[in-house]
Amino acid sequence: HKRIGIMYMVLTFVFFCLGGVEALMIRLQLGSPNNTLVTPEVYNQLFTMHGTTMVFLFVVPMMAGLANYFLPLMIGARDMAFPRLNALSFWLLLAGGVVFYSSIFWNPPEAGWTSVVPLASSTYSPSGGEDAWIYLIHLTGLSSILGAINFYVTIEIGRASCRERV
């Protein structure tokens, strides 16, 4: 559990740095009027990538990393209830991030981090970049659900007081 918790935190720090570079590019663009550092399309892509990275690839997984590290220690358990499910949750997070950031080489999403229709529809986003965003949401969502199940079961059956009753 400690190793996977550290892996979560290191990976989310990498995504934090990527999101920070995107934020820096956004702020440089907004630094002066009529700036031509990036085009409007690239600005929309940076805005979408930054928001999505910070919410889905940093904040939520960082909490999962901290929970992976500290939860068994806090309740007196030796490990998480399902260690392989714990590892699968991490690898799904990594896969979601790789799929999302590989879209840079094709068509990055540009409908904002919430990807609301009509901005995400083919009329306003004809490049098809929303597909990578959707894959990210599915993979990181599944990662979060599996992690939450593992946390719940670990708390229920891993507490020292529960083991004494059995």
Side-chain angles (χ1 to χ4, degrees), residues 13 25 52 118 165:
F13 183 73
M25 296 291 292
T52 302
R165 285 185 274 161

Side-chain angles (χ1 to χ4, degrees), residues 9-129:
M9 290 185 273
V10 168
L11 179 65
T12 57
F13 183 73
V14 169
F15 287 131
F16 178 76
C17 291
L18 288 170
V21 169
E22 293 158 355
L24 178 65
M25 296 291 292
I26 291 169
R27 296 316 279 161
L28 287 173
Q29 174 65 26
L30 297 174
S32 63
N34 300 322
N35 197 346
T36 57
L37 178 67
V38 296
T39 64
E41 293 81 21
V42 171
Y43 181 84
N44 287 342
Q45 292 166 356
L46 284 170
F47 188 80
T48 301
M49 298 286 283
H50 167 72
T52 302
T53 298
M54 289 307 184
V55 172
F56 297 107
L57 295 175
F58 175 67
V59 174
V60 174
M62 181 57 85
M63 293 301 121
L66 290 169
N68 267 305
Y69 192 89
F70 289 113
L71 181 72
L73 299 175
M74 289 170 38
I75 65 173
R78 288 186 3 196
D79 198 359
M80 298 294 281
F82 305 116
R84 289 192 175 126
L85 190 67
N86 204 17
L88 176 64
S89 180
F90 170 78
W91 292 111
L92 285 171
L93 172 69
L94 177 63
V98 167
V99 165
F100 185 63
Y101 271 94
S102 67
S103 73
I104 290 175
F105 301 111
W106 292 280
N107 299 315
E110 51 184 304
W113 72 272
T114 56
S115 195
V116 188
V117 175
L119 292 177
S121 67
S122 60
T123 305
Y124 298 101
S125 244
S127 67

